[in-house]
Amino acid sequence: MTSYPELERDEIDSLFHLTLALHHLNKEMERRLKLSLVQLFVLLRLRHLPASSAQVLASAVGVHPSTLCQTLKRLTRKEFVFITEDPKDSRRTLIALTKRGKETIDTVYRDLKRVFASVRTTRKSRNTLESSLDYLSHVKRRLETGQVIL
């Protein structure tokens, strides 16, 4: 049997707990906003790229346009975005936030910024992985205790 150094086990444990914290944070966002963290991230990017093509938005998010397709379909069904024909080129489509999408992302951005700033000032940690886990755990706790209005 292979023996793993204690440091590697601690890092793997931290990575696992970071994954769990992200999973729980994602579930909480879906429960409160009906948006996953991925959908929220797409809306945040779209807020700064109004009326973007799928290709531009996918590049900003860091995924292939075909990967973004399902997320955009869900966001369209939930009425956070709309897709329209590009007036300059009828072969292309443009993606934009709806009024509901803008209002939601503005509220979420403001509230999360406040939570993140508060957590950032109160938490210090030894390494990046441990710091990330600590940070997300405290953000999750603040969301769960209603310290942010979503």
Side-chain angles (χ1 to χ4, degrees):
M1 182 170 161
T2 305
S3 175
Y4 297 102
E6 192 63 36
L7 180 62
E8 287 180 11
R9 274 200 310 261
D10 289 345
E11 288 174 341
I12 291 169
D13 287 350
S14 292
L15 183 59
F16 175 74
H17 290 291
L18 178 60
T19 303
L20 280 178
L22 282 169
H23 173 75
H24 291 298
L25 184 58
N26 190 56
K27 286 264 193 211
E28 185 65 18
M29 297 299 284
E30 286 179 335
R31 186 180 71 75
R32 289 184 184 215
L33 295 172
K34 308 299 184 235
L35 287 169
S36 70
L37 288 172
V38 170
Q39 292 168 350
L40 182 63
F41 185 68
V42 169
L43 292 178
L44 280 167
R45 288 293 184 249
L46 195 53
R47 183 70 167 123
H48 298 288
L49 298 167
S52 295
S53 68
Q55 187 170 359
V56 169
L57 183 58
S59 178
V61 172
V63 298
H64 191 276
S66 62
T67 304
L68 190 62
C69 185
Q70 287 302 314
T71 300
L72 289 174
K73 284 181 184 178
R74 287 183 185 102
L75 289 170
T76 301
R77 267 196 314 271
K78 294 175 182 183
E79 298 180 351
F80 288 106
V81 302
F82 67 95
I83 300 173
T84 187
E85 188 178 284
D86 185 340
K88 297 176 184 172
D89 183 350
S90 61
R91 296 169 295 172
R92 291 184 48 199
T93 58
L94 298 176
I95 304 149
L97 291 170
T98 61
K99 182 178 178 187
R100 178 182 183 202
K102 286 177 188 171
E103 289 170 353
T104 300
I105 206 62
D106 287 348
T107 300
V108 169
Y109 180 79
R110 183 188 67 243
D111 291 343
L112 287 178
K113 186 176 175 183
R114 190 174 61 242
V115 168
F116 292 154
S118 172
V119 170
R120 211 176 288 120
T121 60
T122 60
R123 306 308 310 163
K124 303 289 180 225
S125 212
R126 290 188 305 271
N127 65 46
T128 304
L129 194 56
E130 188 177 315
S131 178
S132 297
L133 173 61
D134 192 47
Y135 182 76
L136 285 172
S137 294
H138 282 81
V139 168
K140 180 180 172 286
R141 238 176 272 132
R142 290 197 182 229
L143 286 171
E144 289 172 343
T145 59
Q147 293 179 357
V148 62
I149 300 168
L150 298 176

